[in-house]
Every structure is written in C-alpha cells, then in structure tokens.
Amino acid sequence: MDKLFAEERLEKIIRLLNDRGKVVVKELSEIFEVTEDCIRKDLKTLEKDGLIKRTYGGAVLNRQSAANSNIVNRRSLNIEAKRTIAEKAFEIIMPNETIFLDISTTNILIAEKLAGGNKRVTVVTNMIDVINAFSKSDHVKVIGTGGVYYKELDGFVGSTAIETISRYKVDKAFIGSVGVNIFDKSVTTFDIEDGNTKRAIISAGKSVYLVMESKKFYMDGVYKFADLFDIDAVIVDTDPEEQILKELEKADVEII
C-alpha cells in the first residue's frame, strides 16, 4: 500500500509541475502530508528517471524547447536512431497496404527501406524526398498530395494539400513530431501549416503512428497539432523511462 501511495505521489508531483512549471519541497510536504525528507527522496527518484531537474528547495520539469531548423539540417541528425525507427516501421507495413508518409526525416528512411524491399504498397506523401526515394521502384505506387511547396520543409502543406489528403483513407499513417508531452498529452511541431496538415493526415489514417526518437518525450515544439489520444502507437529508437511507459499505457498508446 505504501509503494502504491508513493507511485501515486510521484505521478501527482509531475502533474503539479506541468500545471505550475516548478514545485517547492515545503509545499509538497504539506500537500501530501509527508516529511520534507520524503519529498526530497521523491524528487531524487524523478530526477534519476530523467523527468525533472532538482533546484534549491524544489524542482522544475526537465523539458526543453526543440531547436527549429530546416529539413536539410535535420537529415543528418541522430541518423542511427532514425534507422532503428525506420526498420521497426518497415516491419509492420504489410504488402498491399496504403500508407501515408508525412514530412519527416525518419520517413525518408522508411521510404528508402520500402524502395529497397519487395513489398507492394501504395504510398501517399506530401514530402519531395519521399517521392524521390521511389524513383526507381516499380513495386511501389506513389501518390503526391501537391499544394503549396515549402522549401524549408521539403514538402507540401496548407489548405490545398489538406483538401487532397481529406479524400484518402490509408491503412497506416506515419507522422513525425518534434516533441510529445505525455503529461498534458500534447503532440507538437514548429510550423502551424505543417501542424494543420499533420492533423488532416491523422484523420486519414486508420492507424496512426508517431515516428520519433525517445528524447523527444522531453522536448516541445511551438504548435500543438494533436493529443496523444489521437495516436495509436509511437515508434521509438530506445525504450523510454518507466514513468513515460506508464503514461502511454494510460493513454492507450502502444510503444514499438
């Protein structure tokens, strides 16, 4: 019973941090009716899990704003992690499925895996580099959304692309994100038009998968395009911390 209460207390501390941005040891001891030493141990546990950063007399969330950069610069970042994610995504794509690959450097690698394989699939995409990956592949049918081209994103976003996307219903949609906050359940990106386009892709997918490195559970973009409840699964490079796994389970989101 004590262990259960301790776990509930840790969860509530995180929720308070999401609401307030910081917490104070003395106040937490009064809220939970435990000693300040007990609270300090709780904060030490959460810091060890990578969820918070302890400060003098309290703690703050261990989150950071994702650095905005164009798609060309992002292609070379965390390449091994992205290859691991792409391999996992490739394994769950079945022959004869129709999938959506949105604007994401990881999705370029998924496209390259499909192009080098022998699965007959249809790929709908709004990203130029994804289209180019299939230039020599006879076993993959490619459908581009068209629309207004954004050079910094290497793809099409906005109302025209959204109108085209709304006409499709795909088996699996693979979507990139710059950050996920599992406690307020927000999924974020940098650009409003990109975010609105991603929202349309979510609506088009029978199953929706986020493709992202585990470190993005600690990062935030500037524009929320979805709630975690809109997502069926998250495909990551490494297993996230136990507390994150628990929150994903509560949101009924599979981790792959």
Side-chain angles (χ1 to χ4, degrees):
M1 190 68 180
D2 290 341
K3 182 180 179 181
L4 177 62
F5 179 70
E7 290 178 352
E8 290 175 347
R9 191 169 63 242
L10 293 177
E11 181 180 327
K12 289 178 180 177
I13 290 172
I14 290 294
R15 294 191 183 281
L16 284 170
L17 277 164
N18 274 284
D19 290 339
R20 304 178 181 182
K22 64 179 181 179
V23 292
V24 177
V25 169
K26 184 177 180 180
E27 183 182 5
L28 290 176
S29 71
E30 293 171 355
I31 291 173
F32 296 110
E33 298 180 345
V34 295
T35 65
E36 292 186 15
D37 282 343
C38 181
I39 293 297
R40 290 190 187 96
K41 289 179 182 178
D42 288 343
L43 297 182
K44 187 175 181 179
T45 297
L46 291 172
E47 185 176 52
K48 184 179 179 181
D49 288 342
L51 296 172
I52 70 165
K53 185 180 294 183
R54 285 187 294 169
T55 60
Y56 181 75
V60 296
L61 275 178
N62 190 20
R63 300 190 65 79
Q64 56 182 300
S65 296
N68 192 355
S69 61
N70 65 41
I71 207 80
V72 174
N73 294 333
R74 297 205 300 271
R75 282 201 65 167
S76 59
L77 297 176
N78 307 311
I79 191 69
E80 289 306 317
K82 292 173 183 177
R83 284 189 178 128
T84 298
I85 297 165
E87 182 68 40
K88 291 180 179 182
F90 177 76
E91 289 174 0
I92 66 172
I93 297 170
M94 297 294 105
N96 302 313
E97 284 189 327
T98 297
I99 67 169
F100 201 111
L101 297 177
D102 96 316
I103 293 173
S104 160
T105 53
T106 300
N107 279 344
I108 298 171
L109 297 177
I110 296 174
E112 290 173 354
K113 288 288 296 181
L114 287 167
N118 57 10
K119 295 179 183 179
R120 290 191 171 275
V121 295
T122 298
V123 174
V124 186
T125 186
N126 60 330
M127 189 174 193
I128 293 295
D129 272 2
V130 170
I131 294 173
N132 290 339
F134 296 112
S135 61
K136 298 180 181 179
S137 299
D138 294 331
H139 60 287
V140 179
K141 180 180 179 180
V142 183
I143 300 171
T145 65
V148 178
Y149 176 66
Y150 280 63
K151 184 177 181 180
E152 63 274 19
L153 294 173
D154 184 47
F156 304 100
V157 298
S159 58
T160 304
I162 290 170
E163 183 179 354
T164 301
I165 292 165
S166 68
R167 299 175 187 274
Y168 288 91
K169 182 58 71 174
V170 300
D171 296 298
K172 295 183 175 79
F174 297 90
I175 297 174
S177 168
V178 302
V180 171
N181 187 323
I182 58 167
F183 299 105
D184 70 11
K185 305 299 184 289
S186 62
V187 186
T188 55
T189 188
F190 295 122
D191 185 87
I192 293 175
E193 293 295 344
D194 179 40
N196 290 338
T197 306
K198 288 178 186 293
R199 191 192 305 275
I201 297 166
I202 288 173
S203 296
K206 296 176 184 176
S207 297
V208 179
Y209 299 82
L210 282 184
V211 289
M212 61 178 228
E213 305 96 296
S214 286
K215 69 176 186 176
K216 291 185 178 180
F217 283 115
Y218 305 101
M219 304 174 79
D220 295 306
V222 297
Y223 185 74
K224 175 183 174 180
F225 67 86
D227 291 304
L228 201 53
F229 301 107
D230 299 320
I231 308 302
D232 294 293
V234 184
I235 307 177
V236 292
D237 53 321
T238 59
D239 288 336
E241 301 291 345
E242 185 65 29
Q243 189 71 20
I244 292 175
L245 290 173
K246 289 179 181 178
E247 293 298 325
L248 290 172
E249 185 177 1
K250 289 178 185 177
D252 198 25
V253 176
E254 182 183 1
I255 191 82
I256 299 174

